[in-house]
Amino acid sequence: MMWSLMVHGGAGILRREDFPVDQAEGARAGLRAALAAGEAVLAGGGAALDAVEAAVRVLEDDPHFNAGRGAVLSYDGCVSLDAAIMDGPTRAAGAVAGVSAARNPVSLARRVMTATPHVLLSGAGADQFARDQEVECAGQEWFATPERRRQLEELRAKVDGWFDAEMKYGTVGAVARDAAGHVAAATSTGGVMGKRWGRIGDTPLIGAGTFADDRACAVSATGSGEYFIRANVAAEIAARVRLTGAGIGAAADAVLAEVRALGGTGGVIITAPNGEMAWRFVTPGMFRGCVSEGAEARAAIFGDEG
């Protein structure tokens, strides 16, 4: 049986004519590095769960993306990070929301899954859990890059600009299928630029932004979180696959159409236990990449790329 891996770095207002070449090249390099990290796990016979964690950790450490280092800033100028991970064969899951201590929130989410009876921890309690578990931590100086501070000040200067309504800065995620036929998903984000009042999106909500079930598929989502929550996007895609026999691409198209009807936009990556892979997005672009056994890795950003 063959393994497969997909990653994303967010979907949004990404048009070739507006996107600096150096930023595009840096993002593509980051996507390929994440694919390489996950591929190393899968090619060595490792589990899909380990592969998605490894891939997302790379994206969290890359300031080109809105997760971990380089995460967007809340209106108060601080990071507030969300992440989730889910295992397809057992449907075990872990998630964190509103955290600011763990260098790699996806690994903290996995620790929630493996070291507690819980699924979701938040805020100061989750940060204390990170320290209790001796998870590698980092300060605000690691997460908050000068470019993100500049973007926040630009946003604050707008009369009506109290959050990133255009979704210029997305989420990161990975889905994988290992050689044993099991799937897994992981997602991580800094949320929306300029968010207030402890806002939490779909990323750490199992079934909304992250879902994995060996009976159907693994899904990682990115987009306007409030709408993805209301449509329960990731679990709805999996339910259509499992209960109606729909293909993963068709299921994603139908659910994203519902998101658009509600007023939201975004995208998803999906992989199934049979090795089928698909990405779908209803935005001008999505940072995305894939690799599978016997095929070369590829990365793309804009809507006119395959």
Side-chain angles (χ1 to χ4, degrees):
M1 300 180 76
M2 298 175 67
W3 56 262
S4 57
L5 171 70
M6 304 186 81
V7 299
H8 73 77
I13 310 301
L14 304 169
R15 298 187 179 93
R16 190 184 298 274
E17 60 270 22
D18 301 326
F19 209 78
V21 173
D22 60 334
Q23 289 186 30
E25 291 176 350
R28 290 181 197 276
L31 293 168
R32 291 191 183 98
L35 290 170
E39 178 180 1
V41 173
L42 295 168
L49 190 68
D50 294 328
V52 295
E53 181 185 7
V56 170
R57 282 176 61 95
V58 170
L59 295 171
E60 287 177 334
D61 284 345
D62 190 326
H64 287 95
F65 304 103
N66 173 22
R69 184 167 185 252
V72 299
L73 304 178
S74 300
Y75 200 81
D76 62 3
C78 297
V79 297
S80 179
L81 310 171
D82 307 330
I85 191 167
M86 188 167 183
D87 187 35
T90 63
R91 281 179 284 163
V96 291
V99 300
S100 59
R103 171 171 168 159
N104 293 107
V106 69
S107 293
L108 182 59
R110 184 166 183 182
R111 199 66 63 88
V112 173
M113 182 182 78
T114 58
T116 81
H118 309 304
V119 171
L120 174 62
L121 300 183
S122 68
D127 286 339
Q128 183 59 51
F129 175 69
R131 291 186 284 269
D132 291 346
Q133 290 287 307
E134 298 183 347
V135 170
E136 183 179 3
C137 292
Q140 291 289 312
E141 70 281 357
W142 165 258
F143 297 114
T145 64
E147 176 61 11
R148 293 305 193 204
R149 294 203 180 278
R150 184 198 66 76
Q151 290 166 351
L152 179 62
E153 291 309 310
E154 181 181 87
L155 187 95
R156 283 171 166 171
K158 296 179 180 178
V159 175
D160 59 349
W162 61 277
F163 75 103
D164 175 32
E166 294 184 343
M167 289 186 358
K168 297 189 189 73
Y169 321 111
T171 293
V172 308
V175 294
R177 177 226 190 250
D178 59 33
H182 300 307
V183 297
T187 317
S188 182
T189 190
V192 294
M193 176 71 78
K195 63 185 178 182
R196 301 187 188 188
W197 311 303
R199 179 265 185 191
I200 296 169
D202 62 304
T203 291
L205 303 185
I206 301 303
T210 308
F211 196 73
D213 184 345
D214 271 7
R215 299 173 300 172
C217 58
V219 183
S220 177
T222 174
S224 41
E226 283 71 15
Y227 298 96
F228 276 60
I229 293 169
R230 289 159 61 189
N232 204 32
V233 165
E236 178 70 10
I237 290 171
R240 287 172 181 263
V241 172
R242 180 168 65 91
L243 299 175
T244 74
I248 58 174
D253 287 337
V255 176
L256 288 177
E258 291 185 9
V259 170
R260 293 193 75 176
L262 291 172
T265 60
V268 293
I269 54 174
I270 319 111
T271 192
N274 65 4
E276 183 183 3
M277 298 185 289
W279 52 50
R280 294 289 191 273
F281 51 98
V282 289
T283 53
M286 181 169 78
F287 298 105
R288 58 204 188 275
C290 64
V291 65
S292 58
E293 187 171 352
E296 290 187 7
R298 61 190 180 106
I301 300 174
F302 307 110
D304 59 3
E305 298 180 88

